[in-house]
Amino acid sequence: MKEEIYQTFCPGCGVGCGLYIREDPEGNTSVDFMKSSPANLGKLCRFGMKVPYHYSKARTMVTGSKADIEDAIKAAAHRMADADSVTMLSVGNTTSEEHMAFCRIAETLGTRVDTGVFPLPSQITSKCGSYPEGISLDEMEKAKRIALFLDPYVQYPLIVRRLLAAKRNGAGIVAVGTKELHLADETLDIGPDRYDELGLDDKSLIVADIHPNSDPVHVKQLLDLAGRCGAKIHFMQPFINSTGVNLALKANGSMMALAQIMEDIEAGNIRTLVTLDSDPVELMPDAAAAVETLKKLDNLIVISSRASPVTELADVVIATEPVYMKAGTFMNVEGRLQENSGSGVAGIDAMSLLNGELGGKRFDYQQLHYIFMKSIGDPGTDVGDVTADKAEQMECGSVDVDNAGSSVPEGMYQLKYLYNPFMWFDQKDDNDFVLIDRKLVKKLGLKKGGMVVLGSENGKMKMRYRVENIPGGMIMTAKKIPVATGPNTIISLEGC
Amino acid sequence: MVEIGDKVLGYATDPGIRNRGASGGMVTAILAAALERGLVDSVIVLRHINEYEAVPVITDDVDEVLASAGSMHTVPVNLAKYAAGRKVAMPGKPCDVRAVFEQAKRNEIDIDNTFIIGLNCGGTMHPVLTREMLVRMYEIDPEDVVGEKIDKGKLFFRTKDGEEKAIPIDDLEDAGYGRRESCRYCDVKIPVNADLACGNWGVIGELAGNATFCEVMNGKGVRLLENAIESGYVQIEPAGEQSIAIREKVNSAMLSLGEKWSARVFTEIPEEQRINYYMEQFADCIDCGACKEACPVCTCDEDSKCTMYHSLADDYKMSMYHMVRLLHLSDSCIGCGQCSDVCPVDIPVTSIFRRFADPAQKKHNYKAGMTLERPPFLEVMLK
Amino acid sequence: MADNREWEPKIVAFCCNWCSYGGADTAGMGRFQQPSSLRVIRVMCSGRIDPLHVFNAFLEGADAVLVTGCHIGDCHYVNGNYKTQVRHQFLEEMVKEMGLEPERLHLNWISASEGEKFANFVRDVTEQIKKIGPSPLKPEGVN
Ligand SMILES: Cc1cc2nc3c(=O)[nH]c(=O)nc-3n(C[C@H](O)[C@H](O)[C@H](O)COP(=O)(O)OP(=O)(O)OC[C@H]3O[C@@H](n4cnc5c(N)ncnc54)[C@H](O)[C@@H]3O)c2cc1C
Ligand code: SF4
Ligand code: SF4
Ligand code: SF4
Ligand code: SF4
Ligand code: FES
């Protein structure tokens, strides 16, 4: 009758909401509220409320059949040692300590860990921005004017209350290019050339997000805007430990856009990929295309706490315990270091063994924890120089200036993904509709309860729709759908 | 030796429990005795995480029960749902007890197998706001706090170095701190619907602070208390007249304060503005479903009328989810505040639900969660 | 409102198969003029009408909802309409608390032969609704 109760954090997004996972003797899990958690006061969004779905356990496998962990590690080591070069991906879906373990392996192999986000321009400094440390969400409540470049209700629901509080404190809120938002005073459908009309100054705050499919050009434009007007900028991030892995970057990794990695696999430049709780099939806008790309690899080695499409494709799966059981820390989007109550180190032990097999040193949780704290400049670790201008020192590659926002041909529409936790993790949800505006309903002669047919080079599909006030010619969806080929897809649209 | 209606002062015989308990450790001792002597299979208590946080556990481990002694004023949980389907003993604030009754009415809880030691309740506070209040209003480091109490309308905090600081609760609440809003207007302070009603009101003289006033409400209460005495866990003495009078006096003072708050919170919304008010409030809802999940009187599972007839694809002016729930909860809402606590977009869900439930319950002269005799009035009883 | 004369309210009537639906039918066949505003939804018994159907009608754009059934004692399923009556009390209270005008929700017992009663009832309600205008719950873009 013994029930286990874990203090942990929601793995859905960078807010890192505190919660309890209750695990009954049969292993069924349920969520309970942790009201003392400062990031969220115990409150959770739809994803957090349904988080048990997320913890579907991965199984250790070698070439498609069940294996025990040591054999899988040996098989992985073998493949990694034999490869000419190894690409390693960890976007920040697991503990800082596991990420550090992954970095150790990279070191042994003489390679680095990629985070899947494009290299950020060096101008992101603590002066104009919050990236990568994050500002406290309390700060958001104090801004005088806020420009929103995301849809908080769908994408990062836990900032809705912060924005509402800001509004009660007298802030004006303007939403740019999203659907009409109830909390915004105005919604403007304007391009970067007109951002100066937003009326921002040094008491203002820009809220946007950075994720593996962000458009680097747009991020640059926002940074320029912030630089020009002196506004602060806050980038929300999609993964529980995005901030942690970014901070760990300096010592151990680089930022290579996921799309770049996928292109390199496609081109045969990358032949061996090792992932740590990062599933390119879930992360790429076009899941089917991602599957095809991954099939081209010689070696796909997946270290994962949960079953997901990539564990189906992998040559070797090294399964670790669910995230809520792990010992370890996460850094949320505010730069708040949060610690799990769990004591699971199966993931770390597996990676230690793997590192040993590769000829590197073995390690344990305590060492990794220390190294992580040191790399983020924790005063307790006695290393003073890291915090100062972390952002400046970040390794900066060239920004890919291929603007995605090309014009939409006559009679076609732009389908825009509203990335949200359900989408990043391809989790069951009932967001199975597209948002269209009323004019379009009239134009297509749609009837109540009807459907629309979306078409792209990937084929056609039927979807339900919901009517919203959104920028003209735009179709939005919070559901991952097969017709999409990227974060923005040119599509055709008919009624049916 | 114990009879229904007895009013006693009692405490744990074990000095350790007595010390750690909120006021004499009697409740902890009764729970431990009930478990040890097989009156129940398990006990629901709070596992302390830190000074401001605790999590409910269902346990058959006496040590876990003993470790749970003490009142957690910053743990606004509701324990009713944990009792479903079990033979348990549990402590319970009035809102816990009332929710147990609503669950029992809907056959989720077997009241005969659920032993409830009621705790008087002046209110709970939100843990994060309390920390903030300590910094801003008390100028105390929250980590230094070792104890708190409410006395004569003031909230006291004691720090490591033995100092005590008090601020009138009214001042705290005017500044947006203090008790949760629902606690301010909560209208049951002594849980007379529990099996035993325990609290520190009326404990005077040298027993003050280390004994509890306990009223035996029914036969289950008799069994609980006798069991604890027989096993040597607690010691009792009859409560004197003065004790009884003081308890009554404080209770009525608290209730009238509650009425004042009620008037303050539930200002009349003119009829012609109501629909806009409600639509406006719910417009920020992100459909997380937490208000239903957290509601301790709701007995539906995931697939229920409010969820099955609600779709995210609808662009209705109000959601079916809320409309259905506003009706369904009108006969069972106890105003416990859980729904507001968990709402991620800070909709005042509790006060909205009270605006519907209160007039309906008053009209039917029905107070949710008080007895099993009145079935839910939304269920049509055929004569 | 000048264009209110043009505006036809939408009225949704839930009718039970055995009585009030017959009433509506009689009204239609007879010489009683039925407003074009009426949408009849046939159910087997008024007891089948869940409050959520009423909410849904409002949310879909009804300006008024009529719940009708057999006279008390005549229900073909013994006591369905008794349940309807009890539910209606709560629904009425809720509608009031929400701030929807009471004119928008009605309960009436109508037998199959009472075509005239049905027609008058609908006409009365239509008149009342024309005075108070469209329902605030009506979705945008719905007349
Ligand atoms: C939030 C709160 C407010 C109270 N306010 C008053 C008051 O205004 N006047 C008054 O006379 N008495 C009040 N009490 C009751 C009083 O503090 C003592 O709990 C009671 O006198 C019993 O003392 P004890 O030493 O026997 O309890 P203990 O032996 O310390 O046992 C306390 C029991 O309460 C449980 N508990 C602790 N916190 C909570 C919580 N937040 N919710 C549910 N269960 C909890 C514990 O798990 C434990 O089982 C309150 C209690 C609580 C929890
Ligand atoms: S997905 Fe993000 S906002 Fe939602 S509960 Fe999880 S951490 Fe919080
Ligand atoms: S709602 Fe009432 S019983 Fe519950 S915690 Fe608040 S004051 Fe106590
Ligand atoms: S509706 Fe809210 S206040 Fe009412 S019982 Fe449920 S959770 Fe408590
Ligand atoms: S808790 Fe709040 S946001 Fe969630 S469903 Fe309820 S009202 Fe909506
Ligand atoms: S059959 Fe007409 S009301 Fe029941």
Side-chain angles (χ1 to χ4, degrees), chain B residues 179-252:
Chain B
R179 298 169 301 163
R180 296 145 72 234
E181 188 180 86
S182 55
C183 296
R184 299 177 192 169
Y185 58 76
C186 175
D187 59 358
V188 180
K189 297 284 156 191
I190 298 182
V192 290
N193 45 352
D195 303 324
L196 296 170
C198 298
N200 52 27
W201 291 339
V203 185
I204 46 173
E206 50 185 54
L207 284 181
N210 57 43
T212 280
F213 187 115
C214 171
E215 181 174 355
V216 182
M217 303 311 305
N218 57 30
K220 273 191 290 163
V222 172
R223 284 168 68 196
L224 274 170
L225 192 51
E226 278 185 347
N227 180 63
I229 297 169
E230 280 162 20
S231 59
Y233 261 106
V234 303
Q235 204 158 327
I236 57 167
E237 57 188 67
E241 302 227 323
Q242 206 190 346
S243 282
I244 297 173
I246 289 176
R247 176 174 177 258
E248 258 325 300
K249 203 175 128 205
V250 186
N251 184 37
S252 44

Side-chain angles (χ1 to χ4, degrees), chain A residues 196-459:
Chain A
D196 289 331
E197 292 170 26
L198 295 171
L200 305 179
D201 60 21
D202 61 356
K203 293 198 179 58
S204 307
L205 178 67
I206 296 167
V207 181
D209 66 346
I210 292 192
H211 54 70
N213 302 325
S214 292
D215 173 6
V217 177
H218 191 238
V219 171
K220 174 109 179 18
Q221 284 157 346
L222 293 180
L223 287 166
D224 286 345
L225 171 65
R228 274 202 308 281
C229 64
K232 281 197 177 153
I233 187 160
H234 187 75
F235 286 112
M236 298 301 295
Q237 295 174 80
F239 311 121
I240 180 172
N241 207 17
S242 296
T243 313
V245 302
N246 288 333
L247 283 182
L249 263 187
K250 197 207 141 221
N252 307 291
S254 87
M255 298 174 113
M256 171 145 92
L258 183 60
Q260 183 65 49
I261 295 177
M262 297 303 274
E263 269 171 38
D264 281 351
I265 297 174
E266 195 62 46
N269 301 333
I270 293 177
R271 311 208 60 88
T272 299
L273 178 69
V274 187
T275 63
L276 175 64
D277 272 281
S278 306
D279 184 344
V281 182
E282 289 178 336
L283 298 172
M284 290 299 286
D286 184 340
V291 169
E292 289 314 310
T293 303
L294 293 177
K295 282 184 182 159
K296 298 205 164 81
L297 286 164
D298 294 339
N299 300 298
L300 174 57
I301 294 158
V302 172
I303 306 172
S304 182
S305 62
R306 52 182 277 271
S308 71
V310 78
T311 54
E312 298 290 307
L313 296 169
D315 298 305
V316 180
V317 179
I318 298 173
T320 67
E321 65 277 76
V323 178
Y324 67 85
M325 284 186 179
K326 293 184 194 293
T329 58
F330 311 96
M331 189 174 275
N332 86 341
V333 73
E334 303 171 273
R336 201 188 282 280
L337 195 66
Q338 314 197 102
E339 189 165 1
N340 256 4
S341 71
S343 55
V345 288
I348 287 186
D349 287 349
M351 282 189 269
S352 167
L353 201 58
L354 179 56
N355 200 38
E357 290 286 329
L358 290 167
K361 271 209 209 122
R362 300 285 301 265
F363 41 72
D364 64 17
Y365 174 79
Q366 285 309 329
Q367 290 164 340
L368 295 167
H369 181 66
Y370 179 82
I371 297 169
F372 176 72
M373 295 308 280
K374 200 165 122 175
S375 78
I376 62 167
D378 177 60
T381 55
D382 223 299
V383 181
D385 69 328
V386 205
T387 8
D389 263 310
K390 277 189 289 281
E392 285 290 18
Q393 298 166 16
M394 278 190 318
E395 191 182 318
C396 294
S398 63
V399 177
D400 182 2
V401 205
D402 191 16
N403 200 339
S406 49
S407 66
V408 182
E410 189 59 31
M412 301 291 270
Y413 303 87
Q414 191 183 3
L415 176 74
K416 183 182 168 194
Y417 266 175
L418 287 171
Y419 282 104
N420 65 88
F422 289 100
M423 216 153 147
W424 288 119
F425 299 109
D426 211 7
Q427 217 73 173
K428 187 174 156 332
D429 188 26
D430 44 5
N431 266 328
D432 51 348
F433 51 86
V434 290
L435 305 179
I436 61 176
D437 72 333
R438 196 169 307 286
K439 278 196 222 104
L440 210 50
V441 175
K442 290 241 164 71
K443 190 171 152 198
L444 299 176
L446 298 177
K447 293 253 152 42
K448 165 90 200 165
M451 309 267 262
V452 288
V453 180
L454 317 170
S456 76
E457 59 192 66
N458 278 8

Side-chain angles (χ1 to χ4, degrees), chain B residues 10-11 17-18 20-29 31 43-48 65 68-79 90-93 96 118-125 150 189 198-203 211-213 250 254:
Chain B
Y11 47 85
I17 308 176
R18 190 171 181 186
R20 273 183 293 113
S23 50
M26 174 154 167
V27 171
T28 300
L31 290 170
V43 166
I44 302 168
V45 285
L46 296 183
R47 180 184 291 167
H48 297 212
V65 176
S68 71
S71 295
M72 298 294 282
H73 296 281
T74 60
V75 180
V77 288
N78 193 293
L79 300 177
M90 59 185 282
K93 308 174 296 298
D96 297 309
L119 309 171
N120 296 353
C121 185
T124 44
M125 301 182 290
I150 296 175
K189 297 284 156 191
C198 298
N200 52 27
W201 291 339
V203 185
T212 280
F213 187 115
V250 186
M254 288 300 285

Side-chain angles (χ1 to χ4, degrees), chain C residues 15-21 43-49 68-72 74-82 84 109-110:
Chain C
C15 297
C16 95
N17 185 52
W18 304 104
C19 295
S20 52
Y21 189 77
V43 290
M44 286 310 283
C45 169
S46 70
R48 175 66 186 89
I49 305 161
T68 66
C70 312
H71 286 274
I72 292 287
D74 290 350
C75 173
H76 286 54
Y77 305 95
V78 187
N79 49 27
N81 51 6
Y82 173 69
T84 311
W109 309 133
I110 296 164

